[in-house]
Amino acid sequence: MYIKRAAENTIKKLDKMFPVLLVTGPRQVGKTTLLQKLCTPERKYVSLDDPDLRYLAKSDPALFLQRYTPPVLIDEIQYATELLPYIKMSVDASKRKSDFWLTGSQVFQLMKDVSESLAGRVGIVNLLGLSNAEIYSYPSQPYNPDAENLLSRLKQTKRQGLNDIYARIFRGSMPELYANPDMDWEVYYRSYVATYLQRDIRDLAQVADEMQFYKFMTIAAAHTSRPVIYEEFAKAAGISAPTAKKWLSLLVSSHIIALVQPYSNNILKRMVKMPLLHFLDTGLAAYLLRWGNPAALESGAMSGAFFESYVFSEIYKSYLNGGKEAPLYYYRDKDQKEIDLLLVQNGCVHPLEIKKAASPGKTAIRNFKALSTLNCGCGNVLCLAADLLPIDQKNWYVPAWLI
């Protein structure tokens, strides 16, 4: 069963603008399925997962492109980046749009080659797991915290209770788990982690000790929605701080986690500089930390942290699906005042607090005053409220299902 993806319109738009389209993202989020759905009959398909085709692409890229002429969809381009200079020559000669569609699971090797070979010639779409909008079939748009937008969105979204939300958090975002309801959750994620470690981390990133990296992933999952202190990661994993920093960058580049940077502004003083870590697939984080079911996760010690990462990932995906950079930061000063997210648009800062509570109270916005010297817009407290409600003239309680 195909689940309609919110990025379809973004892909169609970029395809008209560039000769090369690259869809990148973690494994098994549906990159190939999406592009095959949008393919016209004349577009050829070739996967570099096939060892014979991969060998030809790497050893004789010119001959490979003679066999697979445009328009063509080349899957898993990271396995033969030797093709990229030849793709550049082809599109420069033809001057046509939409000649090459590429997919790639591993940005950490791929993007350097893409930027060097195809600068100005490639439109890039970052595809993550399913969003609520995709799962429940309602319109997707980049998250807008303004009250007028939120009120209009009430008519489009599906209301959810606590149990519904934690069932969603626990199951995660992988399309196969929704396209095939009979798929065993634990078996799926076990296979996913094994493939990621063996094919991407060992083969592409040359990490020698898979088990040590697996331990590092579980430590990252345990730190979701927390600031990153590299020395802490290093000590817990038994590695050096530079290695911890490198391995975190691998998780970022393969879209397993996102690091949210602190908001910096000359007007604001005494800011901390540590990034904030969020696991992008809460189902994968739940698997790594051995949570057994949604109820155990909801009542457990990490319940609030998972809720925060879930809300962050939904906002983050809403921007990527719209073909935009997510303008998200967080605030924390040396007086321990924190705001979970700052959404910065057109010179305006929108403070967003995330609370696992149905009635968080006005104390949830007390730290918004730390931004009083800035141009601040509508603030939101994203929570488990049953409805969209005003807190005061400028701030609103926003149910998590409304994102």
Side-chain angles (χ1 to χ4, degrees):
M1 181 185 76
Y2 176 73
I3 298 172
K4 184 175 175 61
R5 302 307 301 266
E8 285 184 16
N9 290 336
T10 300
I11 287 171
K12 291 174 183 176
K13 178 182 175 182
L14 292 178
D15 189 44
K16 294 176 181 177
M17 297 170 59
F18 295 97
V20 183
L21 173 75
L22 169 64
V23 178
T24 186
R27 285 196 168 274
Q28 300 178 29
V29 294
K31 301 182 295 295
T32 306
T33 303
L34 169 56
L35 289 182
Q36 287 182 324
K37 185 73 176 177
L38 299 178
C39 270
T40 53
E42 64 269 18
R43 189 175 295 275
K44 306 170 188 70
Y45 170 75
V46 56
S47 174
L48 297 179
D49 266 335
D50 184 315
D52 292 333
L53 294 176
R54 189 188 312 173
Y55 177 77
L56 175 61
K58 291 177 74 67
S59 60
D60 198 338
L63 185 62
F64 179 93
L65 291 182
Q66 283 183 35
R67 169 64 182 84
Y68 297 101
T69 54
V72 61
L73 164 55
I74 303 175
D75 209 4
E76 304 292 6
I77 188 67
Q78 75 273 6
Y79 288 125
T81 52
E82 293 85 353
L83 285 171
L84 295 175
Y86 291 85
I87 291 174
K88 173 183 178 293
M89 289 188 285
S90 174
V91 299
D92 285 352
S94 74
K95 308 295 185 186
R96 289 189 303 263
K97 308 300 183 190
S98 188
D99 265 3
F100 292 90
W101 287 5
L102 313 174
T103 75
S105 299
Q106 295 305 310
V107 182
F108 48 79
Q109 181 178 10
L110 184 59
M111 279 304 166
K112 179 174 179 289
D113 294 318
V114 168
S115 61
E116 290 176 356
S117 301
L118 298 176
R121 301 168 180 86
V122 59
I124 298 173
V125 176
N126 295 309
L127 188 71
L128 297 181
L130 296 174
S131 66
N132 271 354
E134 292 167 321
I135 292 169
Y136 303 117
S137 301
Y138 55 77
S140 175
Q141 62 187 47
Y143 184 74
N144 182 341
D146 287 335
E148 184 179 346
N149 174 73
L150 294 169
L151 285 164
S152 67
R153 196 158 175 76
L154 271 177
K155 304 168 187 176
Q156 304 170 327
T157 51
K158 176 183 171 68
R159 292 175 184 263
Q160 293 178 301
L162 174 69
N163 293 337
D164 298 321
I165 288 173
Y166 271 86
R168 166 82 174 83
I169 290 172
F170 180 79
R171 194 153 185 83
S173 302
M174 292 300 178
E176 182 64 24
L177 292 171
Y178 293 88
N180 181 6
D182 296 327
M183 174 68 68
D184 184 280
W185 177 89
E186 186 173 355
V187 170
Y188 176 85
Y189 276 114
R190 185 187 306 127
S191 171
Y192 183 92
V193 170
T195 303
Y196 175 68
L197 289 174
Q198 292 169 9
R199 297 185 59 182
D200 300 334
I201 293 304
R202 184 180 65 191
D203 296 344
L204 289 175
Q206 286 93 46
V207 172
D209 192 334
E210 289 173 36
M211 287 300 97
Q212 195 170 34
F213 191 86
Y214 175 82
K215 180 182 179 182
F216 183 81
M217 284 179 67
T218 64
I219 293 165
H223 281 75
T224 195
S225 81
R226 288 173 53 187
V228 172
I229 302 173
Y230 293 107
E231 291 75 13
E232 278 187 13
F233 275 81
K235 184 178 179 181
I239 55 178
S240 67
T243 299
K245 193 168 187 176
K246 175 189 173 186
W247 285 4
L248 271 178
S249 74
L250 294 182
L251 293 177
V252 170
S253 299
S254 47
H255 303 284
I256 300 295
I257 66 170
L259 294 182
V260 186
Q261 298 302 320
Y263 183 67
S264 59
N265 186 295
N266 291 335
I267 301 172
L268 299 173
K269 305 298 183 184
R270 295 166 56 77
M271 297 289 293
V272 299
K273 297 181 179 180
M274 298 175 291
L276 192 71
L277 184 153
H278 283 292
F279 239 74
L280 289 172
D281 186 342
T282 51
L284 175 58
Y287 168 78
L288 290 169
L289 296 173
R290 297 295 184 261
W291 291 104
N293 56 65
L297 178 60
E298 188 277 320
S299 61
M302 291 196 66
S303 176
F306 269 76
F307 183 70
E308 284 187 36
S309 288
Y310 162 71
V311 168
F312 166 81
S313 68
E314 286 296 304
I315 296 173
Y316 186 66
K317 282 183 280 194
S318 76
Y319 278 87
L320 296 189
N321 289 336
K324 300 178 182 293
E325 289 286 329
L328 296 172
Y329 304 86
Y330 85 103
Y331 177 87
R332 188 179 187 185
D333 62 27
K334 293 176 181 176
D335 297 323
Q336 303 303 307
K337 289 192 177 77
E338 296 183 35
I339 301 172
D340 293 324
L341 286 176
L342 300 181
L343 196 158
V344 183
Q345 289 182 314
N346 303 318
C348 185
V349 179
H350 299 272
L352 310 178
E353 191 68 18
I354 305 170
K355 295 291 184 186
K356 188 212 163 191
S359 303
K362 286 195 173 184
T363 56
I365 63 170
R366 66 181 182 276
N367 289 337
F368 290 6
K369 291 183 291 186
L371 307 177
S372 59
T373 55
L374 303 180
N375 177 24
C376 281
C378 186
N380 295 170
V381 177
L382 294 135
C383 59
L384 295 168
D387 204 352
L388 176 68
L389 296 169
I391 304 171
D392 55 29
Q393 289 186 329
K394 204 171 185 180
N395 303 294
W396 290 72
Y397 295 124
V398 180
W401 44 261
L402 197 57
I403 302 171

